[in-house]
Protein backbone atom coordinates (compact mmCIF):
# COMPACT_ATOMS: atom_id res chain seq x y z
CA UNK A 1 0.00 0.00 0.00
CA UNK A 2 3.04 2.28 0.22
CA UNK A 3 2.62 2.65 -3.55
CA UNK A 4 -0.90 4.08 -3.25
CA UNK A 5 -0.84 7.85 -3.48
CA UNK A 6 -3.38 9.48 -1.16
CA UNK A 7 -4.39 12.74 0.37
CA UNK A 8 -3.87 13.29 4.08
CA UNK A 9 -6.69 14.18 6.47
CA UNK A 10 -7.24 15.03 10.11
CA UNK A 11 -10.45 13.44 11.41
CA UNK A 12 -11.89 15.11 14.51
CA UNK A 13 -14.67 14.60 17.04
CA UNK A 14 -15.80 15.68 20.49
CA UNK A 15 -14.79 13.48 23.40
CA UNK A 16 -17.22 12.48 26.15
CA UNK A 17 -15.59 15.00 28.47
CA UNK A 18 -16.26 17.79 25.95
CA UNK A 19 -12.67 18.13 24.76
CA UNK A 20 -11.69 17.88 21.07
CA UNK A 21 -9.81 14.89 19.69
CA UNK A 22 -8.34 14.10 16.29
CA UNK A 23 -6.06 11.78 14.39
CA UNK A 24 -4.27 11.66 11.09
CA UNK A 25 -5.92 9.41 8.49
CA UNK A 26 -5.17 8.52 4.90
CA UNK A 27 -8.13 6.12 4.79
CA UNK A 28 -10.53 8.88 3.74
CA UNK A 29 -12.41 8.59 0.50
CA UNK A 30 -15.52 9.81 -1.16
CA UNK A 31 -18.30 7.21 -0.68
CA UNK A 32 -21.47 8.39 -2.42
CA UNK A 33 -22.61 11.41 -4.39
CA UNK A 34 -26.35 11.32 -3.58
CA UNK A 35 -26.20 12.15 -0.78
CA UNK A 36 -22.60 13.29 -0.63
CA UNK A 37 -20.85 11.09 1.90
CA UNK A 38 -17.33 10.10 2.90
CA UNK A 39 -15.77 7.00 4.40
CA UNK A 40 -12.90 6.58 6.82
CA UNK A 41 -11.43 3.65 8.69
CA UNK A 42 -10.38 4.15 12.33
CA UNK A 43 -8.14 1.77 14.25
CA UNK A 44 -9.37 0.48 17.61
CA UNK A 45 -6.06 1.49 19.17
CA UNK A 46 -6.61 5.17 18.39
CA UNK A 47 -7.46 7.20 21.49
CA UNK A 48 -10.10 8.91 19.31
CA UNK A 49 -11.77 5.65 18.33
CA UNK A 50 -14.46 5.65 21.00
CA UNK A 51 -15.32 9.31 20.45
CA UNK A 52 -15.54 8.83 16.71
CA UNK A 53 -17.85 5.83 16.87
CA UNK A 54 -20.05 7.39 19.56
CA UNK A 55 -20.36 10.93 18.18
CA UNK A 56 -23.23 11.80 15.89
CA UNK A 57 -20.89 14.11 13.95
CA UNK A 58 -17.26 14.14 12.93
CA UNK A 59 -15.00 16.42 10.91
CA UNK A 60 -12.68 15.66 8.00
CA UNK A 61 -9.90 18.14 7.16
CA UNK A 62 -7.96 17.61 3.93
CA UNK A 63 -4.51 19.04 4.61
CA UNK A 64 -2.56 21.52 2.50
CA UNK A 65 0.94 20.84 1.16
CA UNK A 66 2.51 23.08 3.83
CA UNK A 67 0.78 21.28 6.75
CA UNK A 68 3.13 18.31 7.22
CA UNK A 69 3.98 19.55 10.72
CA UNK A 70 0.30 19.53 11.66
CA UNK A 71 -0.05 16.05 10.14
CA UNK A 72 2.76 14.76 12.37
CA UNK A 73 1.11 16.20 15.49
CA UNK A 74 -2.15 14.38 14.71
CA UNK A 75 -0.29 11.13 13.92
CA UNK A 76 1.45 11.19 17.31
CA UNK A 77 0.08 8.37 19.52
CA UNK A 78 1.27 9.94 22.78
CA UNK A 79 0.71 13.68 22.20
CA UNK A 80 -1.50 14.90 25.05
CA UNK A 81 -2.49 18.34 23.73
CA UNK A 82 -2.81 18.14 19.96
CA UNK A 83 -5.07 21.20 19.78
CA UNK A 84 -2.88 23.34 22.04
CA UNK A 85 -1.71 26.44 20.19
CA UNK A 86 -3.76 25.62 17.10
CA UNK A 87 -6.33 27.88 15.48
CA UNK A 88 -9.58 25.88 15.81
CA UNK A 89 -13.25 26.37 16.82
CA UNK A 90 -16.38 24.31 17.44
CA UNK A 91 -18.60 23.88 14.37
CA UNK A 92 -21.67 22.52 16.15
CA UNK A 93 -20.14 19.50 17.95
CA UNK A 94 -17.19 19.19 15.58
CA UNK A 95 -13.71 20.63 16.19
CA UNK A 96 -12.88 22.61 13.03
CA UNK A 97 -9.23 23.35 12.31
CA UNK A 98 -8.49 26.59 10.47
CA UNK A 99 -6.39 26.56 7.33
CA UNK A 100 -7.13 23.15 5.81
CA UNK A 101 -7.52 22.76 2.06
CA UNK A 102 -11.04 21.49 2.67
CA UNK A 103 -13.19 20.87 5.74
CA UNK A 104 -16.24 18.61 5.81
CA UNK A 105 -18.71 18.36 8.69
CA UNK A 106 -20.18 14.86 8.54
CA UNK A 107 -23.14 13.22 10.26
CA UNK A 108 -22.43 9.55 10.92
CA UNK A 109 -24.75 7.41 8.81
CA UNK A 110 -23.10 3.98 9.05
CA UNK A 111 -20.60 2.11 11.18
CA UNK A 112 -19.05 -1.27 10.38
CA UNK A 113 -16.81 -3.22 12.72
CA UNK A 114 -14.26 -5.61 11.28
CA UNK A 115 -10.90 -6.87 12.61
CA UNK A 116 -9.02 -4.05 14.33
CA UNK A 117 -10.74 -1.12 12.59
CA UNK A 118 -14.16 0.54 12.38
CA UNK A 119 -15.41 1.95 9.13
CA UNK A 120 -17.29 5.20 9.53
CA UNK A 121 -19.46 6.68 6.82
CA UNK A 122 -20.72 10.22 7.25
CA UNK A 123 -23.11 12.35 5.22
CA UNK A 124 -21.55 15.71 4.44
CA UNK A 125 -23.66 18.46 6.00
CA UNK A 126 -21.35 21.42 5.76
CA UNK A 127 -17.85 22.53 5.03
CA UNK A 128 -15.63 24.82 3.06
CA UNK A 129 -12.84 24.71 0.51
CA UNK A 130 -9.94 27.08 0.15
CA UNK A 131 -7.30 27.46 -2.53
CA UNK A 132 -4.05 25.57 -2.28
CA UNK A 133 -2.30 22.30 -3.08
CA UNK A 134 -2.92 19.02 -1.20
CA UNK A 135 -0.53 17.27 1.15
CA UNK A 136 0.26 13.92 -0.50
CA UNK A 137 1.29 10.62 1.13
CA UNK A 138 3.25 8.09 -0.92
CA UNK A 139 6.11 5.71 -0.08
CA UNK A 140 5.69 6.66 3.62
CA UNK A 141 6.63 10.26 2.82
CA UNK A 142 4.67 13.49 2.77
CA UNK A 143 7.13 15.75 0.97
CA UNK A 144 5.58 15.38 -2.50
CA UNK A 145 4.40 18.37 -4.48
CA UNK A 146 1.87 18.58 -7.28
CA UNK A 147 3.51 19.51 -10.57
CA UNK A 148 0.81 19.93 -13.22
CA UNK A 149 1.82 19.45 -16.81
CA UNK A 150 1.80 22.98 -18.17
CA UNK A 151 1.99 24.37 -14.61
CA UNK A 152 -0.25 27.09 -13.29
CA UNK A 153 -2.79 27.46 -10.46
CA UNK A 154 -6.32 26.13 -10.71
C1 LIG B 1 0.30 8.67 7.04
C2 LIG B 1 -0.56 8.12 8.15
C3 LIG B 1 -1.85 7.70 7.88
C4 LIG B 1 -2.65 7.17 8.90
N1 LIG B 1 -3.92 6.77 8.59
C5 LIG B 1 -4.71 6.27 9.58
C6 LIG B 1 -6.04 5.87 9.30
O1 LIG B 1 -6.53 5.96 8.19
N2 LIG B 1 -6.80 5.38 10.33
C7 LIG B 1 -6.29 5.25 11.60
O2 LIG B 1 -7.01 4.79 12.50
N3 LIG B 1 -5.03 5.63 11.91
C8 LIG B 1 -4.24 6.15 10.92
N4 LIG B 1 -2.97 6.54 11.20
C9 LIG B 1 -2.47 6.38 12.58
C10 LIG B 1 -2.98 7.48 13.51
O3 LIG B 1 -2.84 8.77 12.98
C11 LIG B 1 -2.19 7.39 14.84
O4 LIG B 1 -2.36 6.10 15.39
C12 LIG B 1 -2.57 8.44 15.85
O5 LIG B 1 -1.59 8.46 16.85
C13 LIG B 1 -3.89 8.20 16.52
O6 LIG B 1 -4.08 9.29 17.41
P1 LIG B 1 -4.92 9.15 18.74
O7 LIG B 1 -4.40 7.95 19.48
O8 LIG B 1 -4.67 10.45 19.48
O9 LIG B 1 -6.36 8.98 18.33
C14 LIG B 1 -2.15 7.08 10.21
C15 LIG B 1 -0.85 7.52 10.48
C16 LIG B 1 -0.06 8.03 9.46
C17 LIG B 1 1.34 8.51 9.79
Amino acid sequence: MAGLCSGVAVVTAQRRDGEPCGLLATSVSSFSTAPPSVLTSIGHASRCHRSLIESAEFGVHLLRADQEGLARVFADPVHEAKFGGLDWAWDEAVPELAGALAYLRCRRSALFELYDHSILIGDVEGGRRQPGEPLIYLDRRMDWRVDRAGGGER
Side-chain angles (χ1 to χ4, degrees):
M1 294 304 288
L4 178 67
C5 176
S6 66
V8 179
V10 173
V11 179
T12 60
Q14 186 176 37
R15 289 192 330 214
R16 265 187 183 174
D17 64 4
E19 293 297 315
C21 68
L23 81 161
L24 192 74
T26 49
S27 64
V28 169
S29 69
S30 166
F31 182 69
S32 65
T33 50
S37 69
V38 294
L39 174 155
T40 185
S41 172
I42 306 297
H44 292 174
S46 161
R47 293 170 296 170
C48 277
H49 177 262
R50 175 186 284 260
S51 307
L52 280 163
I53 65 166
E54 288 182 354
S55 301
E57 295 178 292
F58 63 94
V60 173
H61 305 77
L62 307 183
L63 298 189
R64 276 196 335 247
D66 60 356
Q67 292 183 306
E68 183 173 351
L70 186 71
R72 300 215 173 274
V73 167
F74 279 93
D76 187 335
V78 293
H79 202 303
E80 290 295 342
K82 292 180 176 179
F83 289 77
L86 295 183
D87 185 5
W88 72 276
W90 291 108
D91 175 26
E92 300 188 4
V94 176
E96 178 185 352
L97 300 170
L101 185 63
Y103 159 71
L104 307 170
R105 190 183 70 249
C106 304
R107 181 163 299 278
R108 180 162 52 77
S109 46
L111 174 67
F112 303 101
E113 293 292 340
L114 189 64
Y115 307 137
D116 60 351
H117 275 62
S118 304
I119 290 180
L120 276 177
I121 295 176
D123 297 354
V124 179
E125 292 193 334
R128 58 180 168 75
R129 169 87 205 257
Q130 61 187 55
E133 301 291 350
L135 186 61
I136 294 169
Y137 187 68
L138 174 67
D139 270 344
R140 300 186 179 88
R141 300 167 62 119
M142 287 187 247
D143 56 357
W144 306 95
R145 294 293 175 264
V146 174
D147 180 14
R148 291 192 183 90
E153 284 284 319
R154 243 181 26 171

